[in-house]
């Protein structure tokens, strides 16, 4: 039941992870859109920041709310990201769970259940995030409507209705994202607060490799 409950929040949250890691890729391919971003306050700060970030590490606190605003789950842990598609999310509360992407596969290890679920990364992320990671889309502005939601807030809305979320809100502090809120089409909202951030830490490729522990039940996700 732990695994089932946590899956309610995880797909939306993974989309946010991929968006953060992929910004610099789409940005670099769409330099002709720079002038528009430079005139858009926090949007400019965000795009410039992600052009310079290859890796990111820190701690997080995640809160999931249902369509009424009631908190249905709270979690916390640590993470590392290496763009565009490698990441580790290490949940420590309310239970131990490790989510690892090596760029091709996504591994989810539930420690208490001694269970590992593995899926191809693109299938796990869904149509929107997988499409962005493919590199076929040349400009960030072609995929999202980016607007300033305040002095230090950026609002992103996908232009393709087939994407798996409706709205992302990024809150910045001195140009660094510190809070990410994702809303899906069913009224669920996931807020992730980032803290103790380290920009461009030196991460070995082995950091994103996962070997199921002895005795764990390994299943192919569907």
């Amino acid at each position: 039941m732990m695994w089932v409950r946590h899956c309610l929040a995880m797909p939306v949250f993974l989309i946010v992870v991929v968006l953060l890691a992929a910004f610099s890729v789409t940005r670099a391919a769409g330099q002709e859109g720079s002038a528009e971003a430079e005139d858009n306050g926090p949007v400019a700060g965000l795009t410039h920041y992600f052009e310079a970030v290859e890796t990111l590490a820190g701690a997080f606190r995640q809160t999931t709310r249902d369509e009424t605003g009631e908190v249905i789950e709270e979690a916390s842990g640590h993470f590392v990201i290496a763009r565009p598609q490698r990441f580790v999310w290490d949940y420590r509360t309310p239970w131990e769970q490790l989510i690892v992407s090596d760029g091709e596969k996504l591994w989810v290890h539930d420690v208490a259940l001694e269970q590992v679920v593995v899926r191809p990364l693109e299938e796990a992320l869904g149509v929107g995030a997988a499409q962005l990671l493919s590199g076929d889309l040349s400009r960030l502005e072609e995929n999202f409507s980016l607007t300033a939601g305040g002095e230090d807030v950026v609002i992103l809305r996908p232009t393709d209705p087939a994407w798996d979320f409706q709205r992302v809100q990024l809150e910045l502090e001195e140009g660094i994202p510190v809070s990410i809120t994702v809303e899906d089409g069913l009224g669920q909202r996931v807020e992730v607060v980032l803290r103790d951030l380290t920009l461009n830490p030196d991460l070995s490729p082995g950091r994103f490799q996962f070997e199921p522990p002895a005795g764990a039940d390994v299943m192919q996700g569907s």
Side-chain angles (χ1 to χ4, degrees):
M1 290 299 295
M2 293 183 187
W3 161 247
V4 173
R5 286 201 306 267
H6 198 65
C7 273
L8 294 175
M10 191 179 69
V12 173
F13 183 51
L14 285 176
I15 291 170
V16 180
V17 177
V18 174
L19 286 172
L20 292 180
F23 264 116
S24 55
V25 177
T26 56
R27 176 67 174 170
Q31 291 297 328
E32 62 267 34
S34 297
E36 295 179 16
E38 288 174 359
D39 295 331
N40 207 3
V43 176
L46 178 67
T47 53
H48 293 164
Y49 167 75
F50 282 109
E51 282 179 345
V53 173
E54 296 287 338
T55 59
L56 183 67
F60 69 88
R61 185 178 72 252
Q62 177 179 326
T63 303
T64 304
R65 300 178 184 272
D66 64 16
E67 64 277 5
T68 69
E70 181 179 354
V71 174
I72 58 176
E73 182 178 283
E74 292 181 299
S76 63
H78 295 82
F79 73 93
V80 294
I81 293 175
R83 71 171 177 89
Q85 67 264 64
R86 292 171 296 159
F87 48 84
V88 177
W89 293 90
D90 187 1
Y91 286 87
R92 309 308 297 175
T93 64
W95 52 79
E96 293 185 59
Q97 190 174 71
L98 188 65
I99 302 175
V100 180
S101 167
D102 62 6
E104 297 182 357
K105 294 181 179 180
L106 183 75
W107 304 82
V108 180
H109 176 209
D110 191 306
V111 176
L113 296 181
E114 297 185 333
Q115 180 184 90
V116 175
V117 178
V118 56
R119 298 177 62 186
L121 180 61
E122 291 189 359
E123 290 183 10
L125 294 174
V127 58
Q131 192 177 24
L132 183 61
L133 276 181
S134 70
D136 295 333
L137 304 177
S138 62
R139 290 174 46 176
L140 186 64
E141 292 83 1
E142 291 178 355
N143 303 295
F144 297 97
S145 167
L146 279 75
T147 57
E151 183 178 356
D152 296 308
V153 176
V154 180
I155 305 297
L156 300 91
R157 291 184 175 87
T159 56
D160 187 344
W163 285 48
D164 302 313
F165 59 93
Q166 292 186 334
R167 184 179 184 271
V168 177
Q169 175 177 300
L170 301 180
E171 294 187 26
L172 311 177
E173 186 174 294
E174 297 182 355
I176 300 174
V178 294
S179 177
I180 310 157
T181 302
V182 186
E183 299 175 8
D184 67 10
L186 301 176
Q188 178 175 287
R189 187 167 77 251
V190 178
E191 178 185 16
V192 181
V193 176
L194 307 178
R195 57 184 177 81
D196 301 330
L197 296 176
T198 300
L199 308 184
N200 294 319
D202 186 13
L203 302 174
S204 69
R207 185 69 178 83
F208 305 97
Q209 301 298 316
F210 180 81
E211 290 291 336
D217 183 15
V218 180
M219 301 181 295
Q220 298 293 323
S222 58

